[in-house]
Amino acid sequence: MTLPRETVVSGLVEELVGFDALIRPLRAEEWSTPTRCSGWTVADVAAHVVGTAADIAAGRANLLTEPDRPDRQAQERAGRSPEELADELVAAGKVLADIASGLDDAAWAGPPPVEVPGTLGMAVEGIWYDAYVHADDIRDALGRPSEHGPGLRAAVSHVVDLLSDRDWGPATLRLDGMDPVAVGGGGPEVRGDPLMFVLVATGRAHPIELGLDQTVNLYA
């Protein structure tokens, strides 16, 4: 279900710009606020997102498949201020934008440079998904409302791809404001808020919220 190349490239760039705007003005007490990501503060979540962009920009994409990647990225940036991480993100984001804009359709449909499922396009969409979901983690921690923008569509798209790889379903997603999506050939309908679907699929909300079971949790 990966979204079109032009949509993902522009959407990822805008998501990183929005992430910069989200974290740059945070106060010290906000920076240290616990999040729904177990054991992580807002600073840790931000460090992971910034670290992913920085790893790719520095040609270290091979590190992104290591199981300790999130913790490493957070530890490498421990003690840095919101402005310092925002500056690092802006610099890395410019490199990512240049890399992504140089991809053609053949490369987009081809394999990624690291051993992950799917195409290069799916991998790039995954970066957008990750940034969107973690931005929502930060908003949730700070008591701010979620944003139902283009990033949500990318998150649903990527979750569907990941669930399809795990042979989840069959099911038909009829999520609010989105076109129906058949998973595994289509089957029982799943209705509701698309963000809730993403939260359920990533273990951030209980599957009962959508009448599902734990098999929908990608990280269970």
Side-chain angles (χ1 to χ4, degrees):
M1 183 188 168
T2 305
L3 300 176
R5 175 168 56 88
E6 295 83 359
T7 300
V8 175
V9 171
S10 62
L12 173 59
V13 171
E14 289 302 314
E15 192 68 47
L16 295 181
V17 169
F19 200 88
D20 167 30
L22 174 64
I23 67 172
R24 186 177 292 276
L26 295 182
R27 303 185 302 275
E29 60 270 24
E30 294 174 318
W31 201 229
S32 61
T33 300
T35 70
R36 60 192 175 196
C37 299
S38 180
W40 273 21
T41 63
V42 167
D44 295 326
V45 173
H48 164 53
V49 173
V50 173
T52 296
D55 282 342
I56 297 170
R60 300 190 300 263
N62 61 301
L63 298 181
L64 300 182
T65 59
E66 296 182 351
D68 67 342
R69 167 180 61 107
D71 289 332
R72 170 185 59 79
Q73 291 165 336
Q75 291 166 7
E76 287 175 347
R77 292 162 180 81
R80 297 187 191 177
S81 69
E83 186 174 5
E84 287 173 326
L85 260 64
D87 286 344
E88 184 181 10
L89 180 63
V90 169
K94 291 177 181 177
V95 178
L96 260 65
D98 288 342
I99 294 172
S101 64
L103 298 174
D104 58 19
D105 289 337
W108 192 256
V114 293
E115 293 187 13
V116 295
T119 63
L120 176 58
M122 181 178 170
V124 177
E125 185 183 72
I127 302 169
W128 185 6
Y129 144 85
D130 194 61
Y132 171 81
V133 173
H134 283 311
D136 193 69
D137 291 332
I138 292 174
R139 293 188 180 97
D140 174 79
L142 300 180
R144 300 182 186 181
S146 298
E147 292 193 357
H148 286 58
L152 178 55
R153 184 181 173 214
V156 170
S157 172
H158 195 67
V159 165
V160 167
D161 282 342
L162 294 176
L163 288 172
S164 297
D165 283 342
R166 291 167 59 116
D167 295 323
W168 180 79
T172 299
L173 304 183
R174 293 190 181 275
L175 304 174
D176 301 344
M178 294 193 169
D179 294 334
V181 178
V183 184
E189 293 188 352
V190 178
R191 294 179 177 269
D193 175 44
L195 178 56
M196 179 56 68
F197 175 72
V198 172
L199 297 179
V200 164
T202 58
R204 289 168 167 83
H206 198 285
I208 199 172
E209 296 285 349
L210 294 176
L212 300 172
D213 59 32
Q214 284 291 347
T215 60
V216 75
N217 184 348
L218 291 164
Y219 306 113

